Structures are given as structure tokens and as C-alpha cells.
Amino acid sequence: MTSSLGAPMPMPFWVGHSLRPRPLVDAGSHVALLDRGLCFEAPGIITGVEAFVMPAASIARRWRMQVWRRLPEEDSGWEVVAQTATLHTPRCVQRGSAPLLEDEHCGHGLQAAGLRLNAADEQHEADEGDENLGDENVGGTLWSQALPEALPVEPGDCLGWSHGEGSGFVAHEVQGGDVAWARVSQLAVGDLIDFSTSVGHAMTGASPRTYSIRACWESRDTLEQLGESEKAEPSTFRCPRALAPTGSEPLWRAPPMLDCRGHGFDPAWSVLRHKMLAETQEGRLYSEELVELAEDVMLGLPLDNQTFLSSNIEDFELSISGMQRHEEELAMQGFCLFGLVAAAFVRAMFFIQRSQHEGTAYEMLHFGSMLLGLSKAARDFLESSWWPLRSSDFISQLQRRGLPSAGVRKIEQGPWWPSPDLHSSMVAQASGAEGMLLDALHPCSSSSCVVGCGAEEAVVGHAVVLRPLVDAAYDLSFVDASLCSSRSSVLRRLRVYTRSRGEARAPPGVEGMALQIWRPTLTEDDFGELRAFTLVSETELIAAPRVGLHEFVIDSLALSIGDCIGWRYAPSARGAITYSEADDAPLVLWHRGAAPVGDLQFFPNGGRRVYSLSLAFDGVVVECIPKLAVADQPAAVLDLGAALHALAAASLRLAPEMSNVRSIRVAALGDHVTGTLEPSSMVQETLKRAGLYVDMRYFGHPCPEDARARYHCTLRCELLGACGEDDAIARWLTHALDYNDFAERNTSWNTLESALSSAIVDDEFLSAEADVFVCGHPGVLCVILASVIAPRPLVVYLQSTLLYGAPGCGRCHQPGHTLRYFESDQAHDYLRRFRKAAGSQSVAVLTNVPFSSMQVWYQTGVITQSVPNQAIYVAARWIGPFSESLFLPRSSFYQTSMGRNFVALLANFMDMHRLPLRLDLQVKGGAYLSHAEMAQRRAALLVPHDLGIHTFNVLYRMGMPLFLPDRNWAFRLQSAMPSGFTAYGGALPDEEPGPDGRPLACLRAQVPFSPWLDVDASAVEVEYWHGYSNAATFPHIQHFDSIPSLLSELHRTDLVTVSALMHGFSARLLDVALERYAAALSRSLDGGAASGVDSSGCSNANSECGAAKPTHGSELVDGGSEWE
């Protein structure tokens, strides 16, 4: 907001005292009060008042507010210079038989609606039955009043108020303040009162009182900005109303359906909760008494009735949003979802802590996870209730023993109650090593690698996960031609994932499987393909009690050079190893029947398959380096002035004939409007600072066919100036990528390259005029573009996984999985082409988030610098501290079950506590908000749907306070909506040399996990990679772990101060970002002379390339362990 002269208008702010409970209220009637501690230093207007009010025996029904001005040369004489019309008192705090919430005059945050103050003697929730609180327990409430007309104030004026018949209602204490008072029958503007000696008044005086009251001051120019309708009906004021009393930490009451309290719920749930709270706070093991309570409540419900469970869980979700169909029926059945979850956890932990009945214990844990819907985090809001339990408690217990926290997503459609079928279907699908040859057992040697690839054991084979297929035949012997050793070694352990052979059979175990060692043998007939093997050795039959993930210890099964791994199913085996098929999968051979050790066996049948099998062998001990700390590998940071000077010199060498014109032509390509605008605006700003005129033109950005995403067309027109039909680059993108399903088309590199080359040739600017190219998203466009335009300068800004849209997907997407894993030869060739482009002297690669740098490094060995989005194209700045609108930007999170339930539950909390907030939820296909409109909101509640989203940086650039889920939400968000960055997996083989000549396995040994995630990812993995997101590494972000903690953060955060800190950090970060862009442009324009990444992909600042890896980015700005 600005004044008529164009200068920034002062924001509205509160003047007065903290709104907290105080012990006293005024007892007398017809009292006028002057608060000489509530005075004003600048001219303006008072538009509203807020107070903490207390109940009284006979509260005054009417009152007025006054502005008082000291008389000249008088110590105690004051004049009423402005006064409101008669106002109504907050009747909701009156004693008596009237309802507590009587009418619209009631304040928000009334304790009867659930708010409790965190007093020293009240650290627990309120007693049951709050709906019938007695008068003595009301305890006061916040109350806000917009004045019917603004009161003008001048410097030195002070605020006062008066009430008629009845007692006062504003809480106060006799210390700290300066309040004068007088008994008066009425007051009018112009009245004079000497509060110490007034003649004719029954009583006057002064006291050091402090009242819980404050006034909203605004600039007088505010009236000029209001429309006529707003002036005529000023029902609101622009100071942000308090969410809870100040000076106290509120304990927010959860809605009844979470805590199972109040009318209709069995009191046994409250007894269980209080007992569980007490034992948890004492930090002791669950007692037998608590377990008996848990068993009693569980036995009281028909848990073997699937319809009962399913219908009541559905009603629970409906009740969150206030849409429950039959509340009385639900309550009368005694169903308490979170109570049932807690009871299952109590029983499980009682057995686990005493090492008793562990099978039953894990059935209980699985049952609880199913009730919470952990596979999609649908009902995962335990931390917002008063149950002393979190979903992470379930997850840690399950994953500690290799069991799943969620399981395959289809399982949630099955039975709710624990059963052998449910248990067997939910056994873990933990990943093993990725498929590789046994030749890679020892990819490092002491002369070629200083980084260890393992310790005394090497793991080879394929990912041990649930795959869609299983062998139906019996009595078969197999050999995997890809698992043939080039060294002598000893087999120690075997991991497999098994499934039932048929739906009609009960879930079986593996009743008979032997691991075999086969030696390839040439015969006299010498078949074209080697299909003859001699059985060297085999294990005894291996048996397991169930299907699922298994790990077996093998008693020293020896291999010689050239030996291959195989296995045999016994005729009675009902389970088999799961597998998937692909054209580029390893060759697996099989034959029917068994063979004695030493016999030659022909394998007439074969197919391209990947089996869920991995093996651990004795390996060579190699030296391992410890995992690098975040700040151990600082990248070189250039001086901005020197970087711009080098850039200017490089541009002259590019086109010396332009030395007088000093202009440069830039082509910016991509499919995402802000994804292209980010690097192009930074390139433009950097070149301008180097003294160059920039001719920037945009290409690509097809208009989506999906009507819900058509706002991208509006963005393209408004931000890029491209308002016409799709150009040739846009048409190439729609043919290369499926934007409806966001899936890869099965297109080869040659086809994509040829089509893009034709599109560029057909455009005069692209083919002949552009001096520099900038490529944003997708990565496949940038990699192919580098090949087509080489050796012309190119700056690539990676903002998502390299593999999105890449050739070679094949069957990378398997049913039951969220990970698209690229392991084909085409995919490997594509990654090699990226590595070649990144090493080119005319190409510079930057990334928008530290995770992207880590993923590229892990996949290819190339080190790229991370430069977070600067969003300098955003001109709007946050002006919303006075708003009561909480902004929820677009996110795919809100399209998930968890997202919908989260918003509904938040609205439920707000409504129950009568908070002065409203949710401004932006949904796909909804109204488009400009940056200026966004900046008017109070704050942003952002639930990131990926590790490096643009919205985060846009809002940060505005200085809008950001409230994000805490790190412990990372796992549940990954379950609800897998991150796009981590949903694509695949890398060059471990044994392939990296840019420095050492095997890539040497680099990868520095991190504990692969940088991609599937449905079976552990919470540790998810949280580890979350630590490389911008949301986790930027300072001045407010975090919450529950809805109550979100409300508390909104209540206590100084939004204006936080915004100022965000602006300061953005300014410092921009300088560093410009340095890196200047270095990148210098590299591409001048053949890499000023590069921060040399042609080998290694940081120039690190002399030992083999030990280098990207960091969180802590080197960007001095002063901390994150970005700052």
C-alpha cells in the first residue's frame, strides 16, 4: 500500500498492552478510564480495539471509547477530543443461565470452545464434558471490536473508555501501568476532567494498572484508499487479530472425533488416554493395567466385522470435514479410530518390550498402520490429538526390523483386521543392490581408487523388491547368465523376494529352493549361444515360513572364475522368486528337473528377466573414506566484479565486431514458464551488469490440454509475451512427452535428436542469430539441445530429474511401485551423452536445489553447482501482516487423501476456536492469483510436493512468511505424494569410470542411499534426502509438526521481523547467484576459462577429484550450516 505521494504507506499496527489473563476487573459502574500508557506518537486513526475480557457478576451492557488530550500547562486536566457511539459489551462472558456463545458479539478463542492457557498448574487438557462448563470455569476470552467510525488521534493523545451500569470487563492487574479514572454519568466530546481534583464528580483517582487492551492504529491515508462501500460499512480493521492470548502458550483442544471425548463416546477411551499419557510422561514401560484397558476397549468392538471397520473409518474422514452422515450412530457404536490405534500400539509394545509374542505384536502394528492409512498417510494426524502417540512410532518399530510401514498401495483395499493373509502381503520389500555383473565385485584397486566400494563383503544381483510376475511351473532349475563371476569368491548370504504361485492357494512359504553354482561348458556341437552348464555345487533345500522378503545365511558356497548363479525349485514348493520382463533385461535360462552335482545340463529355454535376487560374497578389503560433512567441500566463490569483467571480455571474444553495439542475442527454451523465466532472467540480469544489451526470445512452453492447467497459457502470455500459437519447440515437446499422464514416450535418441534439429533449423533466430542458448526444463530437452547446437554456448539450469522424458524407459514403471527405474542400454547411453555435454567447454550446467546436484553426481559423476531460484522477475513484496487470509498455494498435496483431510481438519480447528483466519486455498483449475494479490495475504502455508519447487522461492522473494511442515513430515508426505525428483531412478553402472577415471562406485560410497525412493523407502532415507531440499536449507522458515503447532507458530511469530530477515537473506543470496551465473556464462562463451566445473566434472577448488561430492550449499553465504 502506498500514499497519494507514492511513498510507502505505514502499515497498521497495534498500540497497547499484551492480551493475557489478569486477575482483576473493575467492580464499579459509570466509570471513565484514561490509560496514560496507551498513547500515540504519530497522527492517524483508531479503527478497532482488542482485549482480554473476564466474566463478572453483573457486566456493563454498554460502553464507549474515547480519545483524550492533555490540557496545556495542566498536570491532570484532560479533554475528550473524540468518542465512539455506544458499543455493546461481549455478552458471551456473562454469568448466568444464558448460552456461553450467545450472539455475534462473542469473542473468538473462548475456552468453552476448546482453548486452554498453558498455566504452570494446568499442563494437561481440560476435563471431559467442556460442553457443560460451569460459570466459574469460563476463564475469559479474547474479544475484538471494529469501531463503527474511526477515531482521529494526534501525537500525544491517549486512549480511554467508559462504561455505564454494571461492572467492567477488561482484565487488569495493579502493577506497571498508569491509569486515571473517574466516576461519571456520561461523557461528551469537549468534556474536561481533572482526574485528581475534579469538582462535582463522586470519585477520581489514579493507579498503576495495566489493562489487557490494545488499539489498532492506521495512517489517515487509509481512508483515501478505501472504497465508498468500505467507508460506509467499516466492519473490519486491518490490524491482525490475535489467535490466542499473548504471554501464554495456548493448549489447543482437538476436535472430539480425534480425542473421542464428550457426548456419545464411551468414557473408557478417556480413561485409556489419560492412563497412557501418565505412563508416557513418566517414561516407563507400559504396565499390565494399561494393556488390560487396551484389550478391554478392543474386545468391546466387533473388529472381525469388515463392514463395521470400513464404514466407521469412512465416517471418521467425513466427520473431519463436518460432513458426517450419522454422528449419533457412530458415537453410539463406541468407535474411536485413534483410540483403537493407540490400543493396538500399547499391546504391541507391551509384547515387544518383554520379548513375548512378537508375531502378535507385529500383527497389532500392521493393524494400526492400516487404520491410519499409512500407505497414503490418509488419516495420519495423531500428533494433532491428545493421544501420546505418533505415526513415526509405528514406522520406527516396523522398519527397525525390516518390516514395511505402508506396504503395496493396493493392500489397503484388503482386510482391515490382522490375519495371516494381511501379514504375509505386507512383509517388507526392502531394496537390495541394483543389478550388475559379478565382474564389478571389485571395481576398485589400490592404484586406481582411494575411496572404498565396500568393506569385507560385496553385494551383487538385482533389486530385491516385489515384482509383478512369478513362475507358475514346478521342479525347475535356473541360471542367470548376468551373474557370472570374473573372480574366485565365497557366497555368504542370499536375499530374495517371493510370492505365492496362485491366488487359490493360501499364502505359502518357500517350501523348497536350493541355490546352485553352474559352470559354463562348451560341447562338441558348440551351439551358437552357450546353453550348456555343469552343476558345480548346490545348497540344501531352503525353507521359509511365508512369502515376502527373505535373507538366508549360506554356508560357504565357493565360486571360481566364470561360475554363474542359479537356483532350483523343489516339486513341492508353493512360492517362487518374483521377476519382471524387459527387452534389455539379463538373459535367464531354465530347464525342468533336477541334476546331480557334476552332471552336464542343457538349458533349452530362456527369456529376458530380472529376478528379485541378490547375493553377498566375500570381497577384497579396500580403504573407505568417511562420509563428507556438509561444509567439507566448499566450492570456489568468485568475486562478482571479477566475474562480470571476465564475462564482458568473453562476450567480446565471441563477437568482436559487436564491440561498439555491446548487445547479445539469447534464446531461452523450456516447457515450464517460470522454469524458463528463472534462468533467463538471471542470465539477462548478469549480462546487463556486464554492460551488455540483451535481446531475449522465448521458445517452447506448450499450452496444456488439461483445462485445469490452462493457467500456464495465461502465465506464458503475461510473463513471456508469447500469446500466440505453439511454436516448433512447443510441438517437439508435446510429441516427446506425454503431458496428460506425465509419462515418457518410447522414443529413441536418434528420433528425438532429428526432430529437434529440424525444429531449430526451421527457425531463423535459433538456427543462425542466437549467440547464447538457455535451457530450463525438461532435462531431456537440454541434453539433446546441447548435441544439436554444439559448439554454440549453452547454459543449462536443471530443475528436475535428468531422466524425466529420457529415452530408454521401456518397462521402467512397474505395478505397485512409485519408482520409475531406468536400467536399459538406451538410458545409460543418454546419461553418457549428458556427461559428455557437461564436460564440453561451451556448456555450463547449474541446478536449482542441492538434491539435484547430488542426484546428477551420483548418476554420472559430474559435479554441478547449485543456485536456488532467485525469482527476480517477481516485483511484488509482501504487504499482508494485517490480513486474516492464510495463503495455501497450489500443490498436488491437496489432491491426495491426506491433503484433503488436512485442510478439512485445519478448518475444523479454526472454526472450533473461532480464530480470525480464513483459508485461501489455490487449487488446480481454480482462479489465478497475480503475485501482487498473493503478497496481500497474511502468510503462506506451503506443503511442498517436491524437493525444489518454484513456489517456495517466489514466496521467499516476496518476503512472505512461510510455514512449512517439519522434517518429520517428510516420510508421510513421500507416502502421500512421492516427490518427482526421487520418483526416477537409474545411473551409469558402478564399474564405469567416472569423469576422473575412477569407478563411479568410489564416489557413491560416500553417501548411504541412492538418490531415489520407492514405496518401500525407509523414513531414514526419506529424511536424509529431504535435508538436501531448499525448504530444509533456507533460513527464517517457520516449521510445524501438527495443526496445533501451526496455530501456535502463527500466534507467536513476529511476521514483520521474519519478512525483513527473509529480504536480507535474499539480497545476499542474489549476489552469490549472480557470481555463479557470471562464471557459467564466461565458461560457455569463452570455452571454460572461468569455469567452476572443469571438463572432468570436478570442482576446480578440490584437488582430489575422486573424493569430491556436492554439498548442501552452505558455502553460498557465510555464517551457518545451511545456506546461511
Side-chain angles (χ1 to χ4, degrees):
M1 186 178 292
T2 59
S3 67
S4 58
L5 299 178
M9 183 180 296
M11 290 185 178
F13 61 87
W14 291 107
V15 178
H17 313 295
S18 63
L19 305 181
R20 60 182 179 86
R22 302 178 196 266
L24 304 172
V25 292
D26 295 308
S29 300
H30 302 289
V31 176
L33 298 106
L34 163 63
D35 192 334
R36 289 180 290 210
L38 206 166
C39 303
F40 304 93
E41 297 179 355
I45 56 175
I46 303 303
T47 57
V49 65
E50 195 166 40
F52 189 88
V53 299
M54 301 286 286
S58 177
I59 199 169
R61 301 291 303 193
R62 289 176 170 79
W63 71 293
R64 291 187 176 193
M65 293 197 65
Q66 293 90 25
V67 175
W68 296 85
R69 185 170 298 161
R70 186 188 297 273
L71 296 175
E73 301 180 357
E74 293 284 345
D75 291 334
S76 55
W78 292 77
E79 177 184 5
V80 177
V81 295
Q83 181 175 240
T84 66
T86 300
L87 305 174
H88 293 280
T89 58
R91 285 180 285 177
C92 54
V93 296
Q94 292 186 107
R95 294 183 182 274
S97 59
L100 290 173
L101 302 180
E102 184 175 332
D103 57 23
E104 68 275 7
H105 298 296
C106 292
H108 59 276
L110 188 66
Q111 285 192 349
L115 180 65
R116 286 281 170 168
L117 304 179
N118 193 4
D121 60 347
E122 190 174 19
Q123 293 292 334
H124 56 83
E125 62 171 323
D127 294 333
E128 299 300 323
D130 277 358
E131 293 80 357
N132 299 310
L133 280 175
D135 296 329
E136 69 279 3
N137 294 322
V138 174
T141 182
L142 289 175
W143 171 72
S144 300
Q145 173 73 62
L147 301 184
E149 58 184 22
L151 295 177
V153 295
E154 297 293 338
D157 289 351
C158 299
L159 192 69
W161 60 95
S162 62
H163 63 263
E165 188 68 30
S167 63
F169 51 88
V170 181
H172 75 268
E173 58 190 349
V174 185
Q175 61 178 3
D178 181 11
V179 174
W181 50 274
R183 283 285 185 90
V184 294
S185 58
Q186 62 180 5
L187 279 176
V189 174
D191 281 1
L192 305 178
I193 292 184
D194 185 335
F195 283 94
S196 61
T197 60
S198 290
V199 178
H201 294 292
M203 187 178 294
T204 59
S207 177
R209 298 179 182 178
T210 301
Y211 283 80
S212 292
I213 192 170
R214 62 184 185 177
C216 179
W217 178 95
E218 300 187 46
S219 168
R220 288 178 179 174
D221 291 336
T222 301
L223 293 176
E224 299 178 8
Q225 302 294 326
L226 297 178
E228 292 301 321
S229 60
E230 293 174 293
K231 291 178 182 179
E233 199 171 328
S235 58
T236 61
F237 49 90
R238 278 152 288 278
C239 291
R241 289 181 287 175
L243 303 186
T246 56
S248 303
E249 186 66 21
L251 296 184
W252 308 95
R253 170 60 64 85
M257 86 288 291
L258 268 59
D259 286 347
C260 310
R261 57 179 173 79
H263 175 70
F265 285 100
D266 190 332
W269 295 116
S270 296
V271 175
L272 175 65
R273 186 174 70 255
H274 285 291
K275 179 67 174 173
M276 194 174 174
L277 271 166
E279 295 195 4
T280 301
Q281 291 173 352
E282 292 172 7
R284 56 189 175 94
L285 300 181
Y286 291 149
S287 66
E288 292 186 7
E289 180 184 355
L290 179 60
V291 175
E292 289 177 0
L293 288 173
E295 291 176 346
D296 288 344
V297 295
M298 294 182 75
L299 291 173
L301 297 174
L303 298 181
D304 56 344
N305 186 330
Q306 299 293 307
T307 302
F308 170 82
L309 287 170
S310 299
S311 62
N312 279 297
I313 287 171
E314 180 183 357
D315 281 343
F316 173 83
E317 295 196 23
L318 290 173
S319 68
I320 287 177
S321 58
M323 297 172 57
Q324 190 174 318
R325 293 190 298 265
H326 43 277
E327 180 175 354
E328 291 186 5
E329 181 180 345
L330 173 68
M332 291 303 294
Q333 292 180 50
F335 183 79
C336 171
L337 178 64
F338 285 0
L340 186 54
V341 169
F345 185 79
V346 166
R347 289 197 67 200
M349 291 307 299
F350 179 81
F351 293 137
I352 290 174
Q353 290 165 351
R354 291 161 178 80
S355 300
Q356 301 172 353
H357 308 294
E358 292 201 1
T360 301
Y362 293 122
E363 292 287 349
M364 291 295 101
L365 291 173
H366 285 305
F367 181 46
S369 69
M370 294 294 287
L371 290 173
L372 287 175
L374 291 189
S375 65
K376 297 180 182 177
R379 298 170 290 278
D380 187 4
F381 303 108
L382 273 170
E383 74 289 335
S384 294
S385 73
W386 276 93
W387 292 96
L389 185 63
R390 301 293 179 262
S391 61
S392 57
D393 298 327
F394 281 90
I395 292 166
S396 62
Q397 289 298 325
L398 290 167
Q399 294 190 344
R400 185 178 300 170
R401 292 161 177 83
L403 295 171
S405 56
V408 182
R409 292 173 181 264
K410 291 183 178 179
I411 298 302
E412 195 170 358
Q413 302 170 7
W416 291 102
W417 182 245
S419 66
D421 178 67
L422 175 63
H423 185 267
S424 63
S425 62
M426 293 190 65
V427 177
Q429 304 132 34
S431 292
E434 304 301 336
M436 54 189 265
L437 300 178
L438 289 186
D439 291 349
L441 276 174
H442 313 292
C444 302
S445 66
S446 58
S447 61
S448 64
C449 182
V450 297
V451 183
C453 308
E456 296 183 354
E457 200 174 68
V459 178
V460 297
H462 312 294
V464 182
V465 296
L466 177 62
R467 299 181 186 270
L469 303 174
V470 66
D471 294 300
Y474 299 88
D475 197 20
L476 293 179
S477 295
F478 295 81
V479 61
D480 190 330
S482 71
L483 299 179
C484 299
S485 177
S486 62
R487 300 174 184 270
S488 297
S489 191
V490 177
L491 175 62
R492 297 295 186 186
R493 290 184 294 116
L494 166 69
R495 284 168 61 91
V496 292
Y497 197 98
T498 62
R499 284 180 54 191
S500 169
R501 292 181 185 274
E503 295 297 332
R505 296 175 178 269
V510 182
E511 296 179 350
M513 185 187 80
L515 193 65
Q516 300 176 315
I517 305 298
W518 293 92
R519 185 163 297 159
T521 306
L522 291 175
T523 67
E524 294 181 357
D525 295 330
D526 194 11
F527 295 98
E529 293 185 16
L530 185 62
R531 293 181 180 271
F533 294 80
T534 299
L535 182 61
V536 177
S537 60
E538 66 177 342
T539 65
E540 298 292 331
L541 287 180
I542 298 172
R546 51 175 171 73
V547 297
L549 176 71
H550 297 286
E551 182 170 310
F552 303 101
V553 175
I554 306 301
D555 186 17
S556 301
L557 196 63
L559 289 85
S560 299
I561 296 175
D563 287 350
C564 301
I565 299 297
W567 60 95
R568 175 175 66 88
Y569 298 130
S572 61
R574 292 186 294 163
I577 304 173
T578 63
Y579 70 88
S580 55
E581 295 180 333
D583 293 338
D584 54 358
L587 176 64
V588 177
L589 307 171
W590 62 85
H591 75 84
R592 186 175 295 278
V597 173
D599 271 18
L600 178 67
Q601 182 66 50
F602 290 96
F603 285 76
N605 305 303
R608 295 287 178 178
R609 298 179 175 182
V610 179
Y611 279 83
S612 290
L613 174 147
S614 69
L615 309 106
F617 292 84
D618 283 346
V620 176
V621 178
V622 292
E623 180 184 1
C624 292
I625 69 166
K627 178 180 178 292
L628 298 179
V630 171
D632 284 350
Q633 297 293 334
V637 178
L638 306 177
D639 175 76
L640 180 56
L644 294 175
H645 178 77
L647 174 58
S651 66
L652 287 177
R653 288 190 287 275
L654 171 72
E657 70 279 2
M658 297 168 54
S659 57
N660 293 326
V661 180
R662 304 289 291 158
S663 66
I664 193 167
R665 297 176 292 267
V666 182
L669 288 73
D671 66 349
H672 191 280
V673 173
T674 54
T676 304
L677 192 58
E678 172 61 33
S680 64
S681 61
M682 286 297 294
V683 165
Q684 188 166 22
E685 179 67 18
T686 306
L687 291 170
K688 282 183 178 179
R689 294 196 182 198
L692 297 168
Y693 170 77
V694 182
D695 179 7
M696 181 75 68
R697 303 191 192 182
Y698 297 96
F699 299 87
H701 316 98
C703 269
E705 296 180 3
D706 187 346
R708 296 173 300 172
R710 296 291 290 183
Y711 68 91
H712 282 289
C713 306
T714 304
L715 281 175
R716 185 181 76 173
C717 182
E718 289 186 2
L719 299 181
L720 304 184
C723 305
E725 297 294 325
D726 287 353
D727 58 27
I729 302 301
R731 291 192 293 273
W732 181 89
L733 286 164
T734 55
H735 283 89
L737 295 165
D738 183 351
Y739 284 101
N740 292 323
D741 296 328
F742 296 97
E744 291 72 32
R745 302 187 191 277
N746 195 13
T747 310
S748 68
W749 170 275
N750 291 337
T751 302
L752 294 171
E753 184 182 46
S754 176
L756 184 61
S757 179
S758 297
I760 289 177
V761 168
D762 291 341
D763 186 281
E764 181 67 21
F765 186 85
L766 293 175
S767 61
E769 299 178 8
D771 300 308
V772 180
F773 287 79
V774 176
C775 186
H777 182 272
V780 64
L781 168 65
C782 305
V783 177
I784 298 175
L785 179 66
S787 174
V788 170
I789 66 171
R792 299 168 74 183
L794 169 65
V795 175
V796 175
Y797 190 59
L798 291 177
Q799 302 162 76
S800 71
T801 174
L802 266 177
L803 293 171
Y804 171 60
C809 172
R811 299 185 182 183
C812 64
H813 180 60
Q814 296 291 339
H817 293 266
T818 58
L819 176 65
R820 305 173 73 86
Y821 193 77
F822 289 66
E823 52 187 343
S824 67
D825 292 339
Q826 285 190 64
H828 290 168
D829 180 64
Y830 167 76
L831 292 174
R832 292 185 186 100
R833 290 177 184 271
F834 165 78
R835 187 170 64 186
K836 178 181 178 181
S840 169
Q841 294 183 343
S842 61
V843 177
V845 181
L846 302 171
T847 69
N848 75 325
V849 62
F851 176 82
S852 181
S853 294
M854 284 295 297
Q855 192 176 64
V856 168
W857 169 81
Y858 191 97
Q859 291 171 318
T860 65
V862 174
I863 292 181
T864 56
Q865 289 186 330
S866 177
V867 182
N869 293 8
Q870 300 301 298
I872 60 174
Y873 53 86
V874 177
R877 294 296 179 264
W878 178 68
I879 55 171
F882 49 83
S883 172
E884 294 181 352
S885 177
L886 186 61
F887 183 48
L888 279 65
R890 284 185 179 88
S891 170
S892 57
F893 171 70
Y894 301 118
Q895 301 170 26
T896 67
S897 297
M898 181 187 180
R900 291 189 293 269
N901 289 339
F902 172 77
V903 173
L905 189 60
L906 175 57
N908 201 315
F909 267 87
M910 290 166 49
D911 181 65
M912 190 180 71
H913 292 285
R914 310 192 70 196
L915 298 182
L917 286 175
R918 60 181 179 275
L919 300 180
D920 189 351
L921 175 62
Q922 300 297 293
V923 296
K924 193 173 183 179
Y928 167 73
L929 283 183
S930 67
H931 291 149
E933 290 171 320
M934 294 179 191
Q936 297 174 18
R937 273 54 180 174
R938 180 187 189 125
L941 168 57
L942 179 62
V943 183
H945 55 269
D946 211 337
L947 298 177
I949 62 172
H950 292 268
T951 305
F952 171 86
N953 301 87
V954 167
L955 298 175
Y956 204 101
R957 169 61 57 183
M958 291 181 186
M960 176 179 285
L962 287 168
F963 292 79
L964 275 71
D966 205 347
R967 181 170 182 161
N968 59 18
W969 272 49
F971 182 78
R972 74 181 72 175
L973 291 178
Q974 174 68 20
S975 300
M977 48 164 196
S979 165
F981 254 125
T982 60
Y984 288 75
L988 293 174
D990 272 355
E991 68 272 17
E992 183 155 330
D996 61 348
R998 298 181 175 92
L1000 291 175
C1002 302
L1003 303 178
R1004 294 165 184 167
Q1006 300 178 75
V1007 292
F1009 311 109
S1010 302
W1012 43 78
L1013 303 168
D1014 203 353
V1015 292
D1016 58 350
S1018 69
V1020 176
E1021 290 177 81
V1022 175
E1023 291 183 7
Y1024 178 84
W1025 290 121
H1026 174 266
Y1028 283 85
S1029 66
N1030 285 336
T1033 53
F1034 268 53
H1036 314 310
I1037 304 299
Q1038 315 309 308
H1039 293 99
F1040 62 90
D1041 63 3
S1042 66
I1043 291 177
S1045 74
L1046 168 64
L1047 298 178
S1048 293
E1049 288 295 329
L1050 286 167
H1051 162 60
R1052 61 173 168 251
T1053 301
D1054 184 342
L1055 301 180
V1056 175
T1057 298
V1058 166
S1059 179
L1061 291 171
M1062 295 169 72
H1063 281 306
F1065 175 74
S1066 291
R1068 297 192 299 277
L1069 186 60
L1070 177 59
D1071 285 342
V1072 179
L1074 288 168
E1075 293 170 2
R1076 294 200 164 178
Y1077 268 94
L1081 286 164
S1082 295
R1083 169 189 170 85
S1084 59
L1085 291 173
D1086 198 29
S1091 171
V1093 177
D1094 64 25
S1095 60
S1096 69
C1098 303
S1099 170
N1100 289 341
N1102 194 321
S1103 60
E1104 294 187 13
C1105 180
K1109 78 177 183 71
T1111 72
H1112 282 85
S1114 59
E1115 76 283 357
L1116 285 184
V1117 179
D1118 294 335
S1121 61
E1122 297 177 346
W1123 289 110
E1124 184 173 48

